[in-house]
Amino acid sequence: LAKTTQPISMDSYEGQEVNITCSHNNIATNDYITWYQQFPSQGPRFIIQGYKTKVTNEVASLFIPADRKSSTLSLPRVSLSDTAVYYCLGFQRNQGGKLIFGQGTELSVKP
Amino acid sequence: DGGITQSPKYLFRKEGQNVTLSCEQNLNHDAMYWYRQDPGQGLRLIYYSQIVNDFQKGDIAEGYSVSREKKESFPLTVTSAQKNPTAFYLCASSIGQGFKDYGYTFGSGTRLTVV
């Protein structure tokens, strides 16, 4: 499973775009890059998943360059409620893949 | 609504006691997982089960036991052999092996405190 590296923490202000970059140099060919969001005392929640190029949903965008050694989660116009820990993981879709969580990035959004 | 239910939300245990954490899902998912989270840390995998009547150890299985007698249920027992059981425990499920699986659905967690 891919080992991922993310910044420990980030600060932002309401209304700004936030980009969280994740490094995954040894990602496997069949790994999908998956991001989760976790609020205090709650279980993580799936945000977005992609294999390469760009994926966008109602919550975020995910940019994955051609070499797939990194990925960037983009949160447009964050609000105070986006304050959470964000995890980047490699996930093997068709193999009942185990999710291995790193420490994640603690995002703090200020007024 | 489909989802995962963990109970209780808070649990207190005396040293030397075994306690069982409940996890039930009505998503018809084949695979279920137990994670432990300590303050300021990521999640660590305790046990997982890909199918009924079968389960595998994760990275920190010592001091824990599980059973998977029904598809919808995956209880976790924290035994007295677990030296530092105070933590936040999370249960998750996924569609399972061989399916186009986007990821896990997590429960809301059980906070266990040893008193």
Side-chain angles (χ1 to χ4, degrees):
Chain A
L1 295 169
K3 176 176 165 52
T4 59
T5 303
Q6 307 173 233
I8 297 294
S9 63
M10 294 181 68
D11 291 332
S12 181
Y13 291 93
E14 281 190 293
Q16 288 187 332
E17 178 184 77
V18 171
N19 295 309
I20 305 175
T21 297
C22 178
S23 172
H24 29 79
N25 291 317
N26 64 336
I27 190 167
T29 302
N30 54 352
D31 273 353
Y32 282 75
I33 305 305
T34 308
W35 285 79
Y36 281 79
Q37 175 192 55
Q38 185 181 25
F39 298 112
S41 296
Q42 293 186 27
R45 181 177 73 107
F46 174 88
I47 300 177
I48 197 167
Q49 185 180 87
Y51 188 78
K52 58 183 176 182
T53 65
K54 178 182 176 182
V55 178
T56 297
N57 62 21
E58 64 278 6
V59 176
S61 295
L62 178 60
F63 301 90
I64 306 171
D67 65 7
R68 301 195 343 115
K69 293 185 183 302
S70 67
S71 60
T72 300
L73 175 73
S74 181
L75 304 171
R77 296 181 299 281
V78 294
S79 64
L80 296 177
S81 62
D82 292 315
T83 294
V85 178
Y86 293 82
Y87 296 96
C88 162
L89 308 97
F91 181 67
Q92 297 174 0
R93 265 191 195 175
N94 298 324
Q95 298 184 22
K98 297 177 291 182
L99 286 179
I100 305 298
F101 286 81
Q103 199 163 356
T105 297
E106 186 170 3
L107 173 66
S108 178
V109 180
K110 302 173 183 177
Chain B
D1 288 337
I4 296 184
T5 302
Q6 289 188 242
S7 61
K9 191 170 179 63
Y10 298 95
L11 187 57
F12 296 89
R13 188 196 95 171
K14 292 183 179 180
E15 288 200 30
Q17 282 184 337
N18 293 354
V19 288
T20 298
L21 283 59
S22 171
C23 178
E24 303 278 331
Q25 55 101 356
N26 59 4
L27 300 165
N28 200 33
H29 284 174
D30 285 316
M32 296 186 74
Y33 310 81
W34 274 104
Y35 286 87
R36 169 185 172 136
Q37 187 172 36
D38 293 287
Q41 304 295 315
L43 285 69
R44 292 185 289 168
L45 183 64
I46 304 172
Y47 268 99
Y48 64 103
S49 168
Q50 300 282 15
I51 197 168
V52 175
N53 292 323
D54 188 43
F55 48 83
Q56 287 77 40
K57 293 181 179 180
D59 300 321
I60 55 165
E62 185 175 350
Y64 300 98
S65 66
V66 293
S67 63
R68 188 83 188 279
E69 297 176 1
K70 299 184 296 182
K71 187 176 185 178
E72 58 270 22
S73 179
F74 192 40
L76 173 74
T77 297
V78 184
T79 74
S80 56
Q82 169 50 237
K83 291 181 172 49
N84 186 20
T86 295
F88 188 49
Y89 291 86
L90 286 158
C91 179
S93 71
S94 68
I95 293 173
Q97 192 166 351
F99 294 94
K100 191 176 183 181
D101 190 351
Y102 290 90
Y104 292 7
T105 300
F106 280 87
S108 56
T110 292
R111 190 167 297 281
L112 173 63
T113 303
V114 173
V115 296

